[in-house]
Amino acid sequence: MAPAHSHVEVYLSTLCLWLLTLLLAPLTTGDRVRITEAARLVRELGDSLWPGQAGIPVRVLLLRDPTEVLVGHDAQGKDFVATGDTLLGRQVWTRPGHLPPTMVATFPVEGVPTIVVGTPERTGMSSTRWVLTLLHEHFHQWQYSQTWYYPGVARLGLSGGDSTGMWMLNYPFPYDSPPVGQAVRRFALALRSALDPQSTSGLEPVLRARDALRKQLSVADYRYMEFQLWQEGVARYVEYRAAKLASRGKPLGDFAALPDYQPYSAAAADRARGLLQELEETDLQRNRRVSFYPIGAAIALLLDRSGHAWKQAYSRRPFALAALLDRQAE
């Protein structure tokens, strides 16, 4: 008769093998296709998408639950284990999951700006929307990789002593102030009107609404809003522009074969309609910081009408997007 503890040993051995298999599991076919398509867009759209963005390698920490898979960057720390798989010309690494699998963000992983994102299933996105979201987040990679970014952010003086960066999300902006909410809404509606191809009013209503909003805010609060317009609003713009530019070419065949694939032309049209709707339905008290995303994207689209020079000014005069409208009005 076998000792009773042998059953426990077999169970533990099986459990360890299962855990090791999970830890070292390669990416799914869908994961590989989507990440490869995002990298292709970054590479092929190049400076047409954003000057210099193509020079930043795509790095992704995919939150697959219960593991996290690092693509596009060689892990140096002890947390990650090499899988033996490769993608984007680099080893694929994995570690046990500890971040929420619904997360979509960009922040340093092992000191390198990295897209941290759940799968389409966990984030509730189609494959096409997920890929375009990666380009949005890859723009954040570009921002964070600029040598002037972190020193410039520190000079804004908005952190309140917080060294974690969470102040960017938790800054005490007066979201619940009715006068501020009304002024933000008037600014959004002025931008919505200016984006109408049939509009003949020019930028003056936009500038008046912007200046009226500025009078409702403290110097620090206005600086925070400008920072969010600059950082998140232009990332939203890049996402829309990626869809529009990608619609001129053909996606990878494997990507177009995914069951939830949507043509980029349709995705661009959806983004355009969605942006206008967000501007029309601006509600600062309800949407808080996210209210600044479509406003910033709308400003970027208006700046496009003046050519590409504003994109150089975006880096030379960072964290002040709405101020660039003055140059277009000249």
Side-chain angles (χ1 to χ4, degrees), residues 39 89 113 124 154 210 219 256 265 270:
R210 179 202 63 183
V219 172
S265 56
D270 286 348

Side-chain angles (χ1 to χ4, degrees), residues 47-292:
D47 284 356
S48 296
L49 181 59
W50 189 270
Q53 186 174 345
I56 304 299
V58 174
R59 300 182 178 96
V60 179
L61 182 64
L62 182 65
L63 311 178
R64 294 203 65 236
D65 189 24
T67 60
E68 297 172 0
V69 185
L70 182 64
V71 176
H73 176 62
D74 291 329
Q76 303 297 323
K78 297 179 180 179
D79 291 344
F80 288 95
V81 176
T83 65
D85 191 11
T86 59
L87 187 62
L88 305 184
R90 288 184 179 271
Q91 174 76 255
V92 174
W93 303 77
T94 189
R95 70 182 182 188
H98 65 278
L99 295 171
T102 56
M103 178 178 282
V104 179
T106 299
F107 51 79
V109 174
E110 296 202 329
V112 181
T114 301
I115 301 165
V116 181
V117 60
T119 63
E121 295 80 10
R122 296 308 300 269
T123 56
M125 302 182 198
S126 70
S127 288
T128 303
R129 182 182 172 191
W130 193 87
V131 165
L132 293 172
T133 297
L134 254 63
L135 268 72
H136 172 126
E137 296 298 331
H138 184 259
F139 182 70
H140 288 320
Q141 275 191 265
W142 175 86
Q143 290 172 323
Y144 304 160
S145 297
Q146 304 309 300
T147 56
W148 43 260
Y149 177 83
Y150 287 108
V153 168
R155 286 193 295 271
L156 291 175
L158 298 173
S159 69
D162 170 32
S163 61
T164 68
M166 290 302 294
W167 66 267
M168 296 183 189
L169 307 180
N170 301 328
Y171 178 86
F173 191 83
Y175 298 111
D176 296 320
S177 165
V180 172
Q182 291 165 10
V184 169
R185 177 166 173 77
R186 284 193 289 269
F187 186 32
L189 292 176
L191 288 164
R192 166 65 179 86
S193 179
L195 287 175
D196 188 335
Q198 306 302 318
S199 174
T200 59
S201 59
L203 276 181
E204 284 306 313
V206 173
L207 297 178
R208 286 197 300 269
R210 179 202 63 183
D211 294 343
L213 170 57
R214 186 169 192 163
K215 291 177 181 177
Q216 294 290 339
L217 297 171
S218 69
V219 172
D221 290 345
Y222 187 78
R223 193 183 308 135
Y224 176 76
M225 184 189 75
E226 274 277 42
F227 168 71
Q228 290 293 345
L229 296 176
W230 180 94
Q231 179 154 296
E232 294 291 352
V234 178
R236 173 71 67 84
Y237 155 86
V238 165
E239 181 180 340
Y240 163 74
R241 183 160 178 78
K244 191 171 183 180
L245 291 172
S247 66
R248 301 174 183 174
K250 292 184 178 180
L252 294 174
D254 290 344
F255 181 67
L258 292 175
D260 61 347
Y261 164 73
Q262 179 189 34
Y264 287 120
S265 56
D270 286 348
R271 292 294 182 284
R273 286 191 296 269
L275 174 62
L276 297 181
Q277 183 175 355
E278 285 181 279
L279 293 171
E280 292 168 359
E281 298 175 356
T282 296
D283 186 332
L284 183 67
Q285 187 176 35
R286 180 184 66 199
N287 297 323
R288 322 298 276 186
R289 183 178 65 93
V290 177
S291 300
F292 301 133

